[in-house]
Amino acid sequence: MKTIQSLGIVLFCLALAFFSILPFIGSYTLRPELVEKNTKDIHQKQMLEILQPMYGELYSSNVAFIADFNKYFNNYNDALKASQSWDQVIWDNYALPLTKASSQSPVTENPWLYLGLTVFLAIVGALLYILPMYAGKLPGIKHDGIYFSSMKSKGLLGIITGSWLILFYIVLYWFPEYLTNLILMVDPLSMAISGNPASQWFLYGLIYTIAILVMGIRMFKKYKGNAYQRLRTGSVMFFQLAFAFMLPEILVLFNMPWHDFKNIWPLDYSFFYDYRLEGMTSSGALGMFMLIWGIILIIVAVPLLTYFYGKRWYCSWVCGCGGLAETLGDPYRQLSDKSLKAWSIERYLIHGVLVFAVVMTAVTLVNYFMEFELLGQATNQLHSIYGFAIGSAFAGVIGTGFYPLMGNRVWCRFGCPLAAYLGMVQRFKSRFRITTNGGQCISCGNCSTYCEMGIDVRWYAQRGQNIVRSSCVGCGVCASVCPRGVLKLENADEEGRLQDLPIIIGNKSITIKN
Ligand code: SF4
Ligand code: SF4
């Protein structure tokens, strides 16, 4: 078994190395016809002139190609900005489509081979490592040696992994042209599913989905014998594959707007942006359904389902961010900060993001219905700030890159505005609670250690007090790792949910304090 696992690690590391160096291979040559084909009609004339010095040049790497592209393109735009000729400035980003079109790398010739050497090899390596992991072991969650693992306790391996993820996210969000070869590699797959060439978001969606599926298999192995954990893992795998990855691409194939039916505003912060509203209202009956379905989710499904089941119905069973946190992020759940300071930062930050999202959306909608007479295009600035700071930096770079450094729910805990909304309903009007049988608690602290939301579960367990916290995502891991069966996730009647009758366990007595 050890040999198979070692082989798995070697294959995975090889695939990761291929994946990391692939963007830098190949050469690039720009030709006028490529500019014509990949720019909008209104920009064609200018772009053909701007990029003239690059035609026919052979660039030995994308770094050299992009450096020249940026030099000529920025010179042009900067001159216009200096003379305040704002209407002539080209705001569109042509770096990625033109780098992609100019590529002469071997990936363009044989994308399937490179997809095999990177993504598929990584899957094989990961499975060879994961499948034998708990073979021959009895059911029961094993966390042996977790604080001696460099990967799981902020050691060198964890820091390297976090840094790689952060770097990948930064390049993916803001400099995707440097990932040209990786995007070219998934072009045939994208063509097969949606009929369109791949963008960086297709690459991202593919890797994201594979990560959830492969690490979901690890969850099945790790939590064998635990029906709750296995069911909800199956659920997040299904929702990610079917609803977040396949269905939106198939919609594009049928000329419909890309739409994730399980994404809910304000997590889906662009839902009420003008281009989304126009896309939906101009797409016939299905487009109208998308709009109405989205609104029903916000005003009916969230309060109703959260009333009955707590926020777990979404955060731990449906959401893609939660899905990645619960699968890829599972090895890091013990790294969440349990301090009171973290809790106070959490409350200000997450509710601050919710207020930002609500105000931005309200202003956007008023402006839209006043036909942009109120603020003109100024709301676009607001959208850019939110998109950059919250949508990309917080949710993407920090949310995922910081798994090995701050635990797996950094975004869900500190930033997600939908989690804040669900949390308010869960705290004030819900049947969900975690009941604690305090008399059985041996204060081992397993529950607090593995609570990914930084809740000190043991504090409640020692007092026999129900846990009613807005941040609890109902992952159930505290209950799964408790050796005494103290904790139980329940949706019983609201009555008695908020109680404060601590069981005081003394040396010689157990008293229920009134
Ligand atoms: S309290 Fe338990 S169920 Fe809630 S988030 Fe923490 S570990 Fe998950
Ligand atoms: S894991 Fe169970 S026994 Fe251990 S501290 Fe938590 S509630 Fe008590």
Side-chain angles (χ1 to χ4, degrees), residues 195-237:
N196 283 295
S199 64
Q200 83 257 42
W201 302 121
F202 181 83
L203 171 73
Y204 176 58
L206 179 72
I207 295 173
Y208 198 102
T209 306
I210 289 173
I212 290 184
L213 296 181
V214 172
M215 291 300 277
I217 294 172
R218 174 187 169 277
M219 291 290 283
F220 283 130
K221 305 287 289 175
K222 177 174 171 184
Y223 293 92
K224 65 178 172 185
N226 189 315
Y228 183 78
Q229 296 303 339
R230 293 181 125 195
L231 256 175
R232 74 181 185 87
T233 301
S235 171
V236 292
M237 288 163 83

Side-chain angles (χ1 to χ4, degrees), residues 260-493:
D260 178 352
F261 282 95
K262 63 161 186 52
N263 210 359
I264 306 176
W265 177 91
L267 176 59
D268 181 8
Y269 57 88
S270 63
F271 185 76
F272 292 108
Y273 286 4
D274 51 339
Y275 75 92
R276 293 278 302 273
L277 291 175
E278 272 154 23
M280 290 185 277
T281 48
S282 62
S283 299
L286 186 58
M288 284 312 289
F289 174 74
M290 289 171 183
L291 183 60
I292 294 165
W293 173 252
I295 294 171
I296 288 176
L297 283 177
I298 301 163
I299 58 178
V300 180
V302 167
L304 205 65
L305 292 174
T306 310
Y307 172 73
F308 284 109
Y309 305 109
K311 71 200 263 192
R312 60 173 157 162
W313 76 270
Y314 193 75
C315 297
S316 291
W317 290 71
V318 175
C319 178
C321 305
L324 194 72
E326 293 296 335
T327 50
L328 183 70
D330 179 71
Y332 307 108
R333 56 175 63 247
Q334 68 283 356
L335 299 178
S336 59
D337 191 337
K338 313 292 188 300
S339 67
L340 274 178
K341 192 166 172 220
W343 182 49
S344 72
I345 293 173
E346 169 190 328
R347 288 188 300 165
Y348 283 111
L349 254 183
I350 196 164
H351 294 111
V353 174
L354 177 63
V355 170
F356 187 176
V358 170
V359 171
M360 177 183 74
T361 305
V363 170
T364 302
L365 279 174
V366 172
N367 198 34
Y368 179 74
F369 287 116
M370 289 179 71
E371 296 182 343
F372 302 97
E373 277 176 14
L374 181 68
L375 293 165
Q377 297 302 319
T379 46
N380 289 346
Q381 297 291 330
L382 209 54
H383 299 167
S384 303
I385 295 169
Y386 190 97
F388 173 81
I390 311 295
S392 309
F394 203 162
V397 179
I398 298 175
T400 309
F402 278 63
Y403 278 6
L405 309 173
M406 287 176 70
N408 57 333
R409 285 274 192 174
V410 182
W411 162 247
C412 310
R413 184 179 172 192
F414 295 96
C416 175
L418 179 57
Y421 172 27
L422 289 156
M424 283 195 267
V425 182
Q426 171 161 287
R427 173 68 183 78
F428 296 108
K429 195 65 195 165
S430 170
R431 303 169 79 150
F432 176 73
R433 84 294 303 264
I434 302 177
T435 54
T436 61
N437 176 2
Q440 287 293 315
C441 178
I442 52 168
S443 297
C444 65
N446 271 354
C447 50
S448 299
T449 301
Y450 295 103
C451 176
E452 57 194 356
M453 298 304 283
I455 298 170
D456 188 359
V457 182
R458 178 174 58 179
W459 188 92
Y460 294 87
Q462 287 169 331
R463 288 161 179 75
Q465 201 170 309
N466 285 354
I467 302 169
V468 178
R469 289 281 294 265
S470 56
S471 57
C472 171
V473 288
C475 65
V477 168
C478 54
S480 305
V481 297
C482 174
R484 303 280 294 169
V486 170
L487 307 155
K488 197 163 167 220
L489 280 69
E490 291 192 39
N491 307 312
D493 282 349

